[in-house]
Amino acid sequence: MTSEITLFVNPTAGRGRGAQAAQPAASALRDAGFSVRTVLGEDADDALRRAREAVAAGTGALIAVGGDGLMSLALQAVAGTSTPLGVVAVGTGNDFARALGLPIRDPAAAGRLAARALKDGGHREIDLGRVGGRWFGTVLASGFDSRVNDRGNRMRFVGGRFKYDLAILAELAAFRPIPYRIRLDGGEVREIEATLIAVGNGTTYGGGMRICAEAEMDDGLFDVTVVGECTRTELLKVFPKVYKGAHLTHPAVTVHRVSSIELVAAGVTAYADGEPMGPLPLTATCVPGAVRVLTGP
C-alpha cells in the first residue's frame, strides 16, 4: 500500500466545519507517517473528477472530510475498486458514519482511526445500493419523506433542522397517500397505497431517523420499509417513533428484505444519501461488498 493518501474535502460541510476539520484529520494521518494530498473541487462535478483521478492514480486511500453529500461523491469514486474509503464525518446528518459506528464531528479521532486501519488492515467490506450508474450507502427515500426534502430544498429563508421541521408540517397539510407499483426481486408487480417507501442499505437518514432500523450493511440485502396508507393523525403518531426505530411494530409498517426493488409512482422524486436521484420509476440493486471502509479493529 502506498503511503500517500488523498484527503477529499468539502470546505462548506456542517456550516464550515469541513474546512476546520481537514487540518486535525490531516495532522493525525501525517503523525502516523502518511503523506497527505488534499483534493478540493470548484463544484461537485469537478470534485468527483479529481477524486476519481486520485483513485485511478493509485492513492492508498480516499479520506472523505464532510457530510453525507461528500460521502456520496466519495462512493462514486471508490465503489467497485480496491481503494479503501476513510470517513471524517463533520456534516449535519452524518448518517453514513452513524451506520458504521464511526466518530462523528471528531476529526482528529476519525483521522487516527483511519491511520490505524491503514496500518493494521482494519477495514470492512460493505454493500452499496446502485441505481443506474449511481451508488448510495444509506437510504433511498421516496414518498412523504422525499417530498419533505423537495420542499426543504425550496426554502431559502431558514436553515438547519428547523427548515426540515417546517417542511414536515407543510407536507402534512398537503398529505395524500401515494399509489405505488413495486416489484421485489423481479417478482410480480404489486399495486399499493403508501405514505412512503424507504430502501435501506444503512439504518438511518435525516440525521439519525432509524427508518430502516434493522438493516445490515454487509448482508447483501436491502431492508425496504413500507409505511402504508394512514391518516394525518396516524402519521403524526407514527413519525416520532422513527427516531428510535419503534415504528417497525406499527400495523401500517411492513419490512421486506430483498436484493432489488423496482419503484413506480407519479410525481415522486427519490433521494439517496440525502441527494436527489431523480424521479420515479427506478430500480435499486444491492451490490455486495462494493466498497472497503476503514474502520476500527
Side-chain angles (χ1 to χ4, degrees), residues 159-294:
R161 183 75 209 176
F162 184 57
K163 176 171 74 172
Y164 189 76
D165 291 341
L166 282 178
I168 288 175
L169 292 173
E171 281 303 314
L172 276 171
F175 172 72
R176 296 288 187 279
I178 299 167
Y180 279 92
R181 288 174 33 233
I182 66 171
R183 188 194 303 267
L184 305 176
D185 282 340
E188 65 180 22
V189 174
R190 308 182 189 185
E191 296 188 359
I192 62 173
E193 296 270 330
T195 300
L196 64 86
I197 299 177
V199 181
N201 183 55
T203 52
T204 69
Y205 64 7
M209 299 172 69
R210 297 176 59 80
I211 186 68
C212 299
E214 297 178 353
E216 299 285 347
M217 299 185 83
D218 55 5
D219 63 355
L221 297 172
F222 293 131
D223 274 31
V224 177
T225 300
V226 179
V227 179
E229 184 177 2
C230 54
T231 65
R232 289 189 189 92
T233 302
E234 197 64 25
L235 184 57
L236 281 169
K237 291 179 183 178
V238 173
F239 209 74
K241 295 182 179 182
V242 174
Y243 288 94
K244 293 185 177 180
H247 63 294
L248 296 183
T249 60
H250 191 278
V253 177
T254 56
V255 176
H256 308 274
R257 289 191 171 91
V258 299
S259 59
S260 69
I261 180 170
E262 181 182 337
L263 293 169
V264 180
V268 175
T269 300
Y271 285 76
D273 295 340
E275 301 296 310
M277 293 290 282
L280 302 188
L282 61 77
T283 299
T285 303
C286 185
V287 181
V291 67
R292 299 167 62 205
V293 180
L294 298 174

Side-chain angles (χ1 to χ4, degrees), residues 25 28-29 63 86-89 102-115:
L29 290 158
I63 312 293
V87 178
V88 180
L102 298 174
I104 292 174
R105 301 196 187 105
D106 190 344
R112 290 192 297 269
L113 184 150

Side-chain angles (χ1 to χ4, degrees), residues 25-100:
S27 294
L29 290 158
R30 290 190 178 107
D31 289 346
F34 293 97
S35 172
V36 179
R37 173 175 170 262
T38 300
V39 166
L40 297 167
E42 296 178 2
D43 52 32
D45 289 341
D46 184 54
L48 177 56
R49 178 183 63 79
R50 292 169 186 259
R52 281 176 166 156
E53 287 175 353
V55 170
T59 186
L62 188 71
I63 312 293
V65 184
D68 285 324
L70 189 79
M71 300 306 156
S72 177
L73 275 183
L75 290 176
Q76 313 312 311
V78 300
T81 76
S82 61
T83 302
L85 172 67
V87 178
V88 180
V90 293
T92 302
N94 303 308
D95 287 298
F96 187 71
R98 197 184 309 275
L100 291 165

